[in-house]
């Protein structure tokens, strides 16, 4: 029998033998992972032991193996290893192993956490753990505490609490949580599920903003419609005044003609016309729609703002335009910026001045108020009337007007507030 030179092939054969030892070890580990510990594991274990003995013999020169024996041994091991690998692959594709279950559990789009009484987590997938880390900066270690804080809305990113709490992370993603109890081997296991609702949450926010804008537009349209009615009434009143003016002019011309040529004018007709004219001029009773501030108080009601007045609003002609503008600006800002439903006006007076304070409910300003638009125009009107205006934004909004009872030209500018409405505001020197 011919033998191949042992020294020439020793290194190659040892390398191949070691690779088979490694292959059998790997296949044995894979079988254990997919929980196949029967005949297959025993056979693979035996192959691994024989491969190691074969490798040991080659390394120690215990015997010089014929080349044909080595080739047959290696071929046989190759076929068996290939069959075993195919078997493991099919098992992994058709059977659910612990490893595949864990991989699928971690790749779920929803966050899952199962914990027992006391909060001890039993299973937490990657999504839930990373979500908890984004909220707290730590890894999830107590499921019960996590759920309690979610229900209470205790986290900074909490949007709402209750049975289905919602959080919104700084990156804009939003999650809704559901909590339930299941039975596992007669033991209560608590299940916590986090679902990504970013799309729905953004859509809900957009709809809420559109709803607010539509409500504001509707309120303004209702107020505009009401204002238009009063504009029409004022137009009709102007037409009546014009007619009175014309009739008075005719009466004066008729009187002048009578004085110049008494015989050419009917005295009875002239007196009748004068009586009618004087009757119109002497009728001083105002209708409701002609009273000061009616339009803007009705407008406040249409905007959904309840206007409460403590005291009597001044009715001096030189102050009506200023106060009417103040009511309009204040009620508009209450509805638009403070999102309030009530506006308060308090009037005090001394010998020379009216002090009028405007406050409201709703949200307090987050920072100092910069005067522009309506507020800036109101300040100019107050100063032109000889008074002044002051605004205080912290701890709550208050606007105060100081207006002279007599029409004067002295400019008081910014003056100190002499008090706050119903004691709600403390002394505060912060101006805007």
């Amino acid at each position: 029998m011919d033998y191949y030179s042992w020294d020439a092939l020793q290194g190659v054969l040892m390398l191949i033998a070691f690779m088979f030892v490694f292959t059998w070890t790997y296949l044995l580990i894979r079988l254990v992972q997919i929980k196949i510990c029967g005949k297959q594991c025993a056979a693979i274990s035996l192959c691994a032991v024989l491969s190691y003995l074969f490798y040991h013999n080659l390394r120690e020169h215990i015997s010089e193996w014929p080349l044909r024996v080595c080739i047959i041994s290696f071929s046989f091991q190759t076929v068996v290893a290939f069959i075993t690998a195919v078997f493991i692959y099919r098992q992994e594709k058709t059977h659910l192993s612990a490893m595949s279950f864990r991989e699928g559990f971690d790749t779920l789009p929803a966050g899952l956490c199962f914990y027992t009484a006391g909060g001890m987590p039993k299973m937490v997938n990657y999504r839930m753990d990373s979500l908890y880390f984004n909220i707290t900066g730590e890894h999830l270690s107590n499921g019960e505490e996590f759920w309690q804080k979610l229900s209470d809305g205790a986290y900074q990113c909490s949007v709402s609490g209750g049975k289905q709490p919602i959080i919104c992370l700084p990156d804009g993603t939003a999650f809704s949580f559901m909590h339930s109890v299941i039975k596992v081997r007669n033991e209560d296991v608590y299940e916590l599920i986090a679902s990504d609702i970013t799309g729905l949450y953004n859509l809900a926010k957009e709809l809420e903003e559109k709803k607010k804008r539509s409500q504001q537009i509707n309120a303004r349209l209702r107020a505009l419609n009401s204002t238009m009615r009063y504009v029409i009434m004022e137009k009709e009143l102007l037409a009546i005044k014009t007619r009175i003016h014309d009739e008075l002019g005719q009466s004066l011309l008729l009187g002048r003609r009578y004085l110049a040529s008494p015989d050419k004018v009917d005295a009875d007709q002239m007196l009748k016309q004068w009586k009618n004219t004087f009757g119109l001029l002497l009728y001083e009773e105002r209708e409701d729609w002609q009273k000061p501030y009616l339009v803007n108080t009705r407008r406040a009601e249409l905007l959904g703002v309840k206007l409460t007045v403590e005291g009597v609003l001044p009715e001096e002609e030189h102050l009506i335009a200023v106060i009417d503008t103040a009511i309009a600006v204040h009620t508009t800002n209450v509805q638009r910026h403070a999102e309030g439903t009530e506006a308060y006006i308090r009037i005090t007076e001394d010998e020379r001045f009216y002090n009028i304070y405007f406050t409201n409910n709703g949200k307090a300003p987050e920072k100092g108020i910069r005067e522009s638009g309506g507020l800036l125009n109101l300040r100019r009107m107050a100063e032109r009337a000889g008074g002044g205006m002051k605004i205080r934004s912290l701890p709550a909004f208050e606007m105060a007007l100081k207006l002279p009872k007599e029409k004067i030209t002295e400019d008081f500018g910014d003056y100190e507030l002499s008090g706050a409405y119903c004691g709600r505001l403390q002394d505060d020197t912060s101006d805007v």
Side-chain angles (χ1 to χ4, degrees):
M1 181 179 293
D2 295 332
Y3 292 90
Y4 198 86
S5 175
W6 177 258
D7 292 335
L9 290 177
Q10 181 184 11
V12 176
L13 295 175
M14 287 179 61
L15 176 62
I16 296 173
F18 178 77
M19 290 178 61
F20 274 109
V21 172
F22 177 79
T23 301
W24 293 123
T25 305
Y26 171 75
L27 292 175
L28 181 61
I29 293 172
R30 294 296 295 161
L31 286 172
V32 172
Q33 286 179 339
I34 62 176
K35 296 194 180 299
I36 297 178
C37 302
K39 298 178 180 179
Q40 292 87 348
C41 276
I44 298 302
S45 299
L46 180 60
C47 289
V49 172
L50 293 176
S51 295
Y52 177 76
L53 292 176
F54 185 69
Y55 166 77
H56 182 72
N57 286 337
L58 290 173
R59 188 182 64 179
E60 299 295 334
H61 297 273
I62 295 177
S63 61
E64 295 184 352
W65 296 76
L67 182 59
R68 285 172 294 180
V69 173
C70 293
I71 293 174
I72 293 172
S73 174
F74 291 153
S75 300
F76 175 76
Q77 292 185 72
T78 302
V79 172
V80 175
F82 177 77
I83 294 172
T84 305
V86 171
F87 172 76
I88 293 173
Y89 176 78
R90 289 181 176 176
Q91 286 293 115
E92 288 179 338
K93 290 296 182 181
T94 57
H95 294 77
L96 186 64
S97 64
M99 180 65 70
S100 60
F101 176 80
R102 182 66 195 185
E103 290 174 355
F105 188 67
D106 280 335
T107 55
L108 287 172
L112 291 174
C113 172
F114 296 92
Y115 63 92
T116 56
M120 176 62 67
K122 290 296 183 180
M123 288 188 68
V124 181
N125 72 345
Y126 175 78
R127 188 61 181 273
M128 180 66 83
D129 191 60
S130 61
L131 179 60
Y132 185 81
F133 187 83
N134 288 333
I135 297 173
T136 64
E138 302 175 355
H139 293 285
L140 182 57
S141 59
N142 191 319
E144 186 175 343
E145 180 183 354
F146 182 38
W147 168 247
Q148 187 62 44
K149 288 187 176 181
L150 286 172
S151 302
D152 296 339
Y155 292 114
Q156 187 175 2
C157 58
S158 293
V159 176
S160 63
K163 294 183 179 180
Q164 286 190 328
I166 296 174
I167 63 167
C168 183
L169 299 178
D171 61 0
T173 55
F175 291 86
S176 173
F177 291 83
M178 293 181 62
H179 188 260
S180 59
V181 183
I182 58 177
K183 284 283 187 181
V184 178
R185 297 175 183 175
N186 294 325
E187 181 183 3
D188 287 340
V189 176
Y190 300 90
E191 178 185 36
L192 185 59
I193 303 175
S195 303
D196 190 338
I197 59 166
T198 303
L200 293 174
Y201 178 73
N202 291 335
L203 182 60
K205 283 182 63 179
E206 183 179 350
L207 290 174
E208 186 65 26
E209 289 296 326
K210 288 183 177 179
K211 181 181 177 182
K212 284 185 179 180
R213 288 199 296 270
S214 65
Q215 288 175 343
Q216 291 177 353
I217 292 172
N218 288 336
R220 292 174 189 171
L221 288 174
R222 290 195 302 269
L224 179 61
N225 182 52
S226 176
T227 304
M228 288 177 63
R229 295 201 304 268
Y230 293 106
V231 170
I232 293 171
M233 293 177 184
E234 289 288 348
K235 185 177 180 181
E236 293 175 351
L237 178 62
L238 179 61
I240 294 172
K241 290 180 178 179
T242 304
R243 181 181 175 184
I244 294 174
H245 178 271
D246 294 341
E247 289 187 1
L248 181 59
Q250 292 177 4
S251 299
L252 290 173
L253 289 173
L254 191 60
R256 181 179 178 183
R257 186 177 178 186
Y258 176 79
L259 292 175
S261 304
D263 55 332
K264 295 181 180 180
V265 178
D266 186 348
D268 294 335
Q269 184 66 28
M270 182 190 67
L271 290 174
K272 183 177 180 182
Q273 185 169 348
W274 273 99
K275 286 180 180 179
N276 291 336
T277 303
F278 288 145
L280 291 172
L281 293 174
L282 293 174
Y283 183 74
E284 296 181 354
E285 184 178 354
R286 290 178 175 177
E287 296 184 16
D288 288 342
W289 61 274
Q290 293 178 282
K291 293 180 180 178
Y293 319 120
L294 179 67
V295 172
N296 281 316
T297 52
R298 293 283 178 83
R299 180 176 177 273
E301 295 176 4
L302 293 170
L303 288 172
V305 178
K306 180 183 178 183
L307 189 61
T308 303
V309 180
E310 181 182 329
V312 180
L313 288 168
E315 294 193 4
E316 284 81 352
E317 287 294 332
H318 67 286
L319 301 181
I320 288 176
V322 180
I323 299 171
D324 206 30
T325 302
I327 294 172
V329 170
H330 184 56
T331 53
T332 299
N333 288 338
V334 169
Q335 191 263 346
R336 183 185 301 174
H337 300 296
E339 298 181 3
T341 57
E342 296 183 11
Y344 313 107
I345 303 175
R346 184 171 68 95
I347 304 100
T348 63
E349 59 179 295
D350 53 32
E351 293 181 358
R352 296 181 57 199
F353 295 97
Y354 291 106
N355 294 296
I356 308 172
Y357 303 91
F358 298 82
T359 54
N360 58 273
N361 67 348
K363 297 190 301 185
E366 297 179 358
K367 56 182 180 180
I369 297 174
R370 182 176 62 87
E371 292 182 21
S372 62
L375 288 175
L376 185 60
N377 181 55
L378 177 60
R379 177 181 292 278
R380 291 170 179 168
M381 292 179 68
E383 292 172 355
R384 282 197 298 267
M389 183 179 86
K390 186 168 183 179
I391 292 177
R392 184 162 58 194
S393 57
L394 298 174
F397 176 81
E398 182 181 35
M399 177 177 71
L401 293 176
K402 187 171 186 177
L403 300 172
K405 293 183 176 182
E406 300 294 334
K407 189 174 182 179
I408 56 178
T409 58
E410 183 181 1
D411 185 1
F412 290 89
D414 262 358
Y415 62 93
E416 288 299 321
L417 292 173
S418 60
Y421 184 73
C422 296
R424 288 169 54 191
L425 301 178
Q426 303 298 324
D427 285 340
D428 181 8
T429 58
S430 60
D431 295 342
V432 181

